[in-house]
Amino acid sequence: SAIAQLESLINEAALDADLVLVAETPFTPYTTVSDYRPVAEAIPGPFTDLLGRLALHHGIYLCSGTVERDGDEVFNAAVLFSPQGELLHRHRKCTLGPGNGEGGYVPGTSIEVIETPFGRVGILICLDTLDGGNQQAMAALKPDLILVPSYGLAKTHYATTQHIDCMVDECIDEWRLRMQMLAKFCGAYVLRADHCGVEGPLVRVGHSMAVLPGGHLLAEATMRPSILRVVLDGSRAEQLRW
């Protein structure tokens, strides 16, 4: 199952790691699902309970996207767990994509950061990073690290899709530029995790990346499934902002 594959990926990524970030809605497709309500679950619930156990088992901070049910409402959400397996932070995606409303999603309404031993951590999900208001709200909170679970999709043929605005190379360029601008604007490290593989007429662009607080690219993956490992030096953050 998708969740079993995800668990295996986290187990591998957790080796010699302090923090692991996985993508937006990691256990369900994004464009080939017309209704997200059947896969939504409360927090706490089975999926987030699993994340908490994995964080505790490996002694890591663990951030993952999920699909959250809260009463009658469904949110595209992300959660951050502590090495003790405790839920530290939950973010609900504020800027939804085309068709998300029809699929049941309700937009989130707040952007926050959480204090950790290694600095102030915030979460923005995918299209959240495109909205200027979200960027300003995050920058005002003076984060040290921004986690960006993403689901980047690009057209492979203009004639067969209508809602995604760019082809593959253009989409990757846009993501790289957007993450670099976010890092520079907020003066924070940015980590982005994305999906790989084909989804109908679209392609998941992958290219998970890490960006320094000054906006310079630290590391970037490819379109192939992989684990991107980076070392962030908080003591150099002020120097790197310039």
Side-chain angles (χ1 to χ4, degrees), residues 82-236:
S82 75
Q84 291 74 42
E86 300 169 340
L87 178 61
L88 291 179
H89 185 39
R90 165 176 42 194
H91 172 68
R92 293 167 169 173
K93 188 176 182 180
C94 300
T95 304
L96 300 181
N100 284 180
E102 291 87 340
Y105 279 141
V106 176
T109 57
S110 66
I111 291 172
E112 301 167 351
V113 297
I114 183 75
E115 294 280 359
T116 74
F118 54 86
R120 296 161 65 82
V121 180
I123 301 174
L124 294 173
I125 300 174
C126 200
L127 286 180
D128 281 340
T129 62
L130 192 60
D131 182 271
N134 295 338
Q135 296 169 18
Q136 291 176 338
M138 181 60 78
L141 298 171
K142 300 187 181 305
D144 298 294
L145 172 63
I146 303 172
L147 304 175
V148 186
S150 298
Y151 209 126
L153 290 161
K155 285 184 177 182
T156 54
H157 195 292
Y158 280 122
T160 58
T161 54
Q162 305 300 319
H163 299 301
I164 309 298
D165 293 329
C166 53
M167 301 292 274
V168 175
D169 288 345
E170 294 167 335
C171 187
I172 294 168
D173 285 346
E174 180 194 335
W175 271 112
R176 189 180 299 119
L177 179 62
R178 197 192 306 171
M179 295 301 97
Q180 291 179 286
M181 291 177 66
L182 179 66
K184 180 68 174 176
F185 185 65
C186 293
Y189 285 99
V190 171
L191 299 180
R192 171 181 178 270
D194 208 331
H195 293 254
C196 300
V198 174
E199 188 168 310
L202 305 177
V203 62
R204 303 162 175 162
V205 297
H207 281 260
S208 299
M209 61 188 70
V211 185
L212 299 173
H216 299 286
L217 193 67
L218 174 61
E220 182 176 331
T222 67
M223 292 178 68
R224 296 181 181 275
S226 63
I227 294 171
L228 184 66
R229 298 185 183 274
V230 296
V231 178
L232 308 184
D233 184 354
S235 66
R236 293 188 64 220

